[in-house]
Amino acid sequence: QVQLVESGGGLVQPGGSLRVSCTASGFTFANYYMSWVRQAPGKGLEWVSYINPFTDNTDYADSVKGRFTISRDNAKNTLYLQMNNLKPEDTALYYCARWDSNYWDYDYWGQGTQVFVSA
């Protein structure tokens, strides 16, 4: 079955860096658009970034543009999010999600990895 497992979250000081990962299984990872979506405490879901599996084109929310970098290693079935110059407002539960182009929606989500940005 399809599984997405995030890892790498933790506590980091403002201005610091962190890389979170998402390991996929149960499907052909190289064929799917993948995204990172986050949820800050008490707030709704916020799309962060996506990566095109065929061109490696990427896009980012304005709130993270220039600080975050999404990437993927299809040989390892793993999605990454490198986060630099972290701010307290980046504190959130970070999910990876698979985009289903047939249904034009996310169809599988991981359990999330928590990122805390605090001094």
Side-chain angles (χ1 to χ4, degrees), residues 9-118:
L11 174 64
V12 62
Q13 293 186 339
S17 297
L18 200 63
R19 189 178 79 162
V20 293
S21 304
C22 170
T23 301
S25 61
F27 66 102
T28 305
F29 177 73
N31 290 350
Y32 284 84
Y33 284 76
M34 297 295 297
S35 287
W36 287 99
V37 179
R38 68 185 181 184
Q39 186 168 29
K43 296 189 176 180
L45 293 172
E46 177 190 17
W47 170 79
V48 174
S49 181
Y50 89 91
I51 183 165
N52 183 314
F54 308 113
T55 65
D56 277 346
N57 284 348
T58 59
D59 198 11
Y60 300 90
D62 287 344
S63 57
V64 306
K65 199 168 290 184
R67 301 188 297 120
F68 289 12
T69 303
I70 190 172
S71 62
R72 63 194 299 157
D73 185 335
N74 289 336
K76 295 182 178 180
N77 289 343
T78 301
L79 180 74
Y80 302 102
L81 185 68
Q82 176 67 44
M83 303 181 288
N84 298 328
N85 190 21
L86 282 159
K87 304 176 180 181
E89 52 263 43
D90 295 317
T91 293
L93 189 60
Y94 283 74
Y95 298 96
C96 66
R98 190 182 83 165
W99 180 259
D100 188 321
S101 300
N102 293 320
Y103 294 99
W104 209 247
D105 199 357
Y106 296 110
D107 60 354
Y108 285 95
W109 297 73
Q111 84 289 348
T113 186
Q114 184 68 54
V115 173
F116 290 101
V117 184
S118 175

